[in-house]
Amino acid sequence: MSLSRIRFLASAADTAQSALAALVARYGQAEAADAEVIVALGGDGFMLDTLNRSQALGLPVYGMNQGTVGFLMNAFSIEGLLARLSGAERAVIHPLRMQALGRDGVVHKALAINEVSLLRTGAQAARLRISVDGRVRMDELVCDGAMVSTPAGSTAYNYSAHGPILPIGAEILALTPVAAFRPRRWRGALLPMGASIGFEVLEPEKRPVNAIADSSEARDVLRVDISSARDISHTLLFDPGHGLEERLLSEQFQ
């Protein structure tokens, strides 16, 4: 597929801004309404932000690494971009939908491409009650936090918390505790993609908890409900042989 009308976006980093100037000089800069593809220059955090901000455009996004980790990005090069875009592999992912009720009565709504996490903010461990599809599955999890991760986000915070890496095509979500104290040996659960997961914060005055959907934070929450937003999809582009499926596999054999 020919993708020649490119909308370039870049993070505020000096290297990304320099790359932006060079690419625009070579390939031009399409207006958002006329573009066929978005090329994002930065790191994984900027890619997540770009996907969220460009959702209404419905355009595929091709990232080039001008950040640190770059798991969601391709290698940077000014040369041959049109050929790389035309031959790119596509990966379609769905974000998580978070609805969090704060102690102030305000309901916070956000989308997360990687994960929704609940984290303690005080000196004492959080106490969480977990339900799946309206049924309480764990009366009390005492922990530093917990998260629900998508397959695309399973190599990020989820993996650092010893959660499983999920194949990109798996219809599964990972529910992973952070430093579980009770039950101490609990390592989390694998849930169907269509599951609705609820977290109730116990003793919120004594053990406050924040909820974070990627980088969107709701402070001092009472309850958090999470589900897969199947009505929303993002298309990422990768160089052949370096797509998300291959990266997820490679991560497990390092």
Side-chain angles (χ1 to χ4, degrees):
M1 180 182 295
S2 175
L3 298 173
S4 58
R5 298 197 301 273
I6 306 169
R7 180 69 179 175
F8 292 99
L9 299 175
S11 73
D14 290 342
T15 54
Q17 289 296 315
S18 296
L20 173 66
L23 287 164
V24 169
R26 173 71 64 89
Y27 299 102
Q29 176 72 301
E31 295 295 328
D34 298 325
E36 297 172 304
V37 61
I38 292 172
V39 172
L41 307 166
D44 284 343
F46 184 72
M47 171 60 92
L48 295 178
D49 183 59
T50 299
L51 291 172
N52 282 318
R53 289 191 294 117
S54 64
Q55 175 187 319
L57 297 174
L59 297 175
V61 180
Y62 180 91
M64 287 203 285
N65 191 19
Q66 289 293 301
T68 50
V69 179
F71 185 81
L72 297 173
M73 315 302 277
N74 298 283
F76 175 77
S77 176
I78 295 176
E79 306 299 328
L81 179 58
L82 296 182
R84 292 173 75 182
L85 292 174
S86 296
E89 298 177 356
R90 292 179 174 239
V92 178
I93 61 175
H94 302 281
L96 296 172
R97 181 175 280 115
M98 178 189 81
Q99 179 169 296
L101 174 63
R103 286 182 60 202
D104 57 4
V106 176
V107 174
H108 303 264
K109 297 181 180 181
L111 297 173
I113 292 164
N114 273 358
E115 77 280 317
V116 174
S117 54
L118 288 80
L119 300 173
R120 74 172 190 175
T121 61
Q124 293 183 295
R127 293 179 61 223
L128 305 174
R129 179 174 292 136
I130 304 173
S131 62
V132 179
D133 293 331
R135 178 180 174 183
V136 174
R137 291 291 183 175
M138 184 168 287
D139 282 316
E140 182 187 64
L141 171 65
V142 181
C143 57
D144 281 352
M147 75 189 75
V148 176
S149 169
T150 67
S154 63
T155 61
Y157 189 16
N158 170 74
Y159 191 40
S160 296
H162 307 292
I165 293 179
L166 305 176
I168 191 62
E171 292 290 306
I172 294 172
L173 301 174
L175 196 171
T176 303
V178 179
F181 178 73
R182 189 170 60 243
R184 190 181 297 272
R185 296 182 182 276
W186 191 62
R187 293 293 181 264
L190 296 176
L191 303 173
M193 186 70 76
S196 296
I197 304 105
F199 293 92
E200 181 183 351
V201 179
L202 308 177
E203 296 185 286
E205 303 88 353
K206 184 179 179 181
R207 303 167 186 266
V209 169
N210 289 355
I212 305 99
D214 285 347
S215 60
S216 178
E217 186 172 20
R219 295 182 176 274
D220 203 4
V221 298
L222 297 175
R223 181 176 177 84
V224 178
D225 292 290
I226 303 163
S227 60
S228 177
R230 304 296 287 178
D231 56 318
I232 299 173
S233 60
H234 300 286
T235 301
L236 283 73
L237 301 179
F238 294 96
D239 293 331
H242 298 278
L244 270 184
E245 185 173 350
E246 173 60 29
R247 293 176 189 220
L248 291 168
L249 279 171
S250 297
E251 191 75 19
Q252 297 174 80
F253 290 92
Q254 288 186 353

